Amino acid sequence: MTEKPRPLRFGSTKVRSGCLVCKARRIKCDEARPACLKCTRSKRLCEYAQLSADSNMRIVVYTPKASFATTGAEKRSLDFFLAAMRSRLPLHFTQPVLQAAHREDVLSHVVIALGAMQQVYEYDDSSAIGSWSPMTQFAMQQYGKALRLLQDRVTLNARGTGSTSPDIILISCIFFACFECLRGSVSSAIIHMRSGLNLLREYENDPRTGLLVPRRTMRSLFTRLDNQLIEMRGSSMSMMSPHDSFEVIAGDPSAEDDVHDALNGLWNHILHGMLDAAKAVAQGAPSSPSIDTSQMNVKENMKRLHSAFLQRSPVSGSIAGEDYGQDPDILQIWFLLSPMLLTAHTWDPADAWGPHNDNFARIVSLADGYLARTFQAHPARKRTFTLSLGIVPPLCLTASRSPDPTVQQKALYLLSICNRREGIWDSRLAVRVARKTAELDQAVRDQPSEEQAATRLKNRAEVFDGVCVDEGDAIEVTSIPPPV
């Protein structure tokens, strides 16, 4: 049998002098400088090989890595990150980060550390973190390497002998905060969050910011971290010096934002309005009849966003998977919660929340349905970690503010069984916060309005300062029976 001749191959001449990024992606580079068109469009950091001045050669040798995970433990941790942790962050954040991890040692180590620690947190016994199991030790070793590498980079930058991308530093702050949240170290997570927020402001006008991860994506994630700091530590912040200033992190919603990001941004404006009101009350001013936000049209934006959500969202409870911030039940919970805070006397007596009891009951019902679906989809998972909008803060507020004892009890019960960490919020810690807050509020019900507001604010700060300690998985919650 006569062998058929192979067809001739036609195509352009291979480019050997393109940028390193295009070579790694195995695509043709137009060799534009200082950044090629492909890297500019995909918002990647474009790099060319450095040639010596006395050389006429234009040959670039590049050996791509198949994976930055080489050992068995590294590969298993990376696989878990790809399968689980990746969906807990925006895809347009994790995708470029994973690509950059092939050439950035800081990112490769912290990605592996996160994959290992999340596996321990979600599927191992609760004693695995505290007892330093082999997987926990491996995660801490990788985390330590990432910390040291980043510190070396920052030191070189300070001396003027290095040039680390601002994106690498900001991404590291986000990942470091997630890692500390996973292992239950609230104070360490807060340190990384605050460092990242300060650096975000510092790098705001740096032209290198946003070359790896889009600016809006980075700002949205730090808005989420800022929201959590105010949700959990806001009242303590209000006790600080009157010279301390806190800026709104989020920008106005735009067409580029999805529902989750836009809602997260509007929530940032509401929380900063609450923080300003709390600071005013702490300094002796009377409590305001409603929350005054820095964005005057926040209510209208919330209405438009909710209308768009109702038109485009799938039926509640029908969504599959765990894509970042896309569950309709959770989004609906936050749409119910936000107007309540805009119209309520936030620091007034508990009966000020009476008109919102139907919303509290609806929040509990939506959270119950969401947890039922989650438990059914992941029966082997013992605990859950996420950074997106979740159910713990709304249930904590419901358990401490709802005037209906049945609704309060159901919210406490759901918090006690859900086993979730949503950033620095821990569901079992939230049970203690809600119980203590309700107890202290009951003790001051007979005080005059202004005195009561100031006392409640002070009590709230003491509750968080007393409960939010680094107890890790040692946090215990007294058994809460299911509501009748």
Side-chain angles (χ1 to χ4, degrees):
M1 183 175 181
T2 305
E3 183 179 355
K4 294 183 179 180
R6 293 184 179 180
L8 297 176
R9 296 178 62 185
F10 296 93
S12 59
T13 304
K14 183 180 291 187
V15 177
R16 300 187 181 277
S17 55
C19 75
L20 298 179
V21 179
C22 287
K23 285 183 173 293
R25 299 173 64 199
R26 298 188 177 184
I27 60 176
K28 186 176 180 180
C29 180
D30 63 351
E31 303 180 62
R33 307 221 179 207
C36 72
L37 185 61
K38 294 288 178 62
C39 288
T40 302
R41 286 179 175 175
S42 60
K43 298 183 179 179
R44 290 178 168 85
L45 182 61
C46 188
E47 297 178 340
Y48 285 89
Q50 298 295 323
L51 299 177
S52 59
D54 57 348
S55 173
N56 292 322
M57 300 293 291
R58 292 184 58 82
I59 299 176
V60 176
V61 179
Y62 178 77
T63 305
K65 296 181 182 179
S67 172
F68 52 82
T70 55
T71 67
E74 290 176 352
K75 291 177 180 178
R76 287 189 295 272
S77 299
L78 177 59
D79 288 343
F80 193 89
F81 182 95
L82 294 173
M85 186 65 183
R86 190 180 184 184
S87 63
R88 315 300 169 83
L89 295 162
L91 182 61
H92 36 286
F93 173 79
T94 54
Q95 186 170 333
V97 167
L98 285 169
Q99 292 173 345
H102 287 277
R103 61 181 184 273
E104 294 288 347
D105 290 343
V106 175
L107 298 183
S108 63
H109 285 298
V110 75
V111 163
I112 291 172
L114 270 175
M117 186 56 77
Q118 187 190 3
Q119 186 173 354
V120 171
Y121 173 74
E122 294 197 340
Y123 289 93
D124 283 358
D125 294 333
S126 58
S127 60
I129 297 178
S131 62
W132 289 86
S133 66
M135 181 66 79
T136 303
Q137 293 184 46
F138 172 74
M140 292 300 296
Q141 289 169 359
Q142 294 292 319
Y143 177 56
K145 290 179 181 179
L147 282 170
R148 288 190 295 272
L149 286 169
L150 186 65
Q151 181 61 47
D152 292 343
R153 296 277 194 88
V154 173
T155 301
L156 291 175
N157 281 357
R159 294 174 179 173
T161 57
S163 179
T164 301
S165 164
D167 283 2
I168 300 298
I169 300 176
L170 293 173
I171 292 167
S172 298
C173 288
I174 293 171
F175 277 167
F176 291 164
C178 288
F179 186 91
E180 295 292 356
C181 290
L182 278 169
R183 74 186 194 96
S185 181
V186 176
S187 61
S188 298
I190 289 174
I191 289 173
H192 290 305
M193 289 179 174
R194 284 179 168 169
S195 297
L197 287 165
N198 290 332
L199 289 170
L200 182 70
R201 296 185 180 97
E202 181 180 333
Y203 296 145
E204 187 70 28
N205 298 319
D206 192 316
R208 299 173 299 164
T209 305
L211 294 179
L212 179 58
V213 174
R215 284 177 180 263
R216 293 196 71 86
T217 301
M218 193 79 80
R219 177 171 284 275
S220 176
L221 282 171
F222 275 103
T223 298
R224 186 78 200 103
L225 298 182
D226 185 51
N227 288 351
Q228 290 211 334
L229 286 175
I230 302 177
E231 288 166 1
M232 182 169 281
R233 310 290 288 182
S235 51
S236 295
M237 289 179 179
S238 69
M239 297 298 187
M240 294 180 179
S241 166
H243 300 292
D244 292 334
S245 62
F246 300 92
E247 302 173 5
V248 174
I249 299 299
D252 295 334
S254 73
E256 301 176 34
D257 296 325
D258 61 20
V259 172
H260 176 277
D261 288 347
L263 181 56
N264 186 48
L266 290 175
W267 183 241
N268 190 249
H269 287 273
I270 294 172
L271 288 173
H272 275 273
M274 290 177 59
L275 182 58
D276 291 340
K279 290 176 66 177
V281 171
Q283 296 166 19
S287 58
S288 173
S290 62
I291 296 299
D292 182 23
T293 66
S294 58
Q295 185 182 18
M296 298 304 295
N297 60 343
V298 64
K299 293 181 181 179
E300 290 302 318
N301 280 330
M302 188 71 67
K303 291 178 182 178
R304 287 196 294 269
L305 189 60
H306 189 233
S307 176
F309 163 73
L310 293 176
Q311 294 175 7
R312 296 179 298 184
S313 175
V315 178
S316 177
S318 66
I319 197 167
E322 290 186 326
D323 292 339
Y324 178 83
Q326 298 306 304
D327 190 279
D329 283 351
I330 290 183
L331 292 175
Q332 182 64 32
I333 286 173
W334 287 87
F335 275 120
L336 289 169
L337 182 64
S338 299
M340 292 163 59
L341 292 178
L342 280 171
T343 57
H345 295 242
T346 310
W347 308 110
D348 277 358
D351 55 12
W353 295 89
H356 303 289
N357 196 55
D358 288 344
N359 281 352
F360 280 131
R362 180 63 178 150
I363 286 172
V364 168
S365 176
L366 288 167
D368 193 10
Y370 169 78
L371 288 176
R373 289 188 290 111
T374 303
F375 292 155
Q376 183 177 10
H378 304 280
R381 183 190 294 167
K382 299 178 180 180
R383 291 166 291 275
T384 300
F385 173 81
T386 183
L387 194 62
S388 60
L389 294 171
I391 63 172
V392 175
L395 286 177
C396 184
L397 183 69
T398 301
S400 60
R401 290 291 184 264
S402 173
D404 188 334
T406 303
V407 174
Q408 281 188 325
Q409 183 70 7
K410 183 63 178 292
L412 283 172
Y413 173 70
L414 293 178
L415 283 172
S416 68
I417 67 168
C418 68
N419 288 328
R420 294 175 65 87
R421 279 188 186 153
E422 299 170 352
I424 56 178
W425 276 102
D426 182 275
S427 56
R428 291 171 297 169
L429 180 147
V431 171
R432 297 171 58 191
V433 168
R435 281 177 158 175
K436 190 65 176 176
T437 301
E439 176 186 330
L440 293 174
D441 286 348
Q442 186 68 25
V444 299
R445 288 180 65 91
D446 296 331
Q447 291 183 1
S449 178
E450 282 73 16
E451 293 181 16
Q452 186 177 142
T455 304
R456 283 161 58 87
L457 176 60
K458 180 180 178 181
N459 288 343
R460 181 177 172 84
E462 291 177 352
V463 168
F464 280 104
D465 289 341
V467 174
C468 300
V469 293
D470 289 347
E471 299 179 3
D473 273 15
I475 298 173
E476 295 182 0
V477 175
T478 305
S479 177
I480 299 176
V484 178

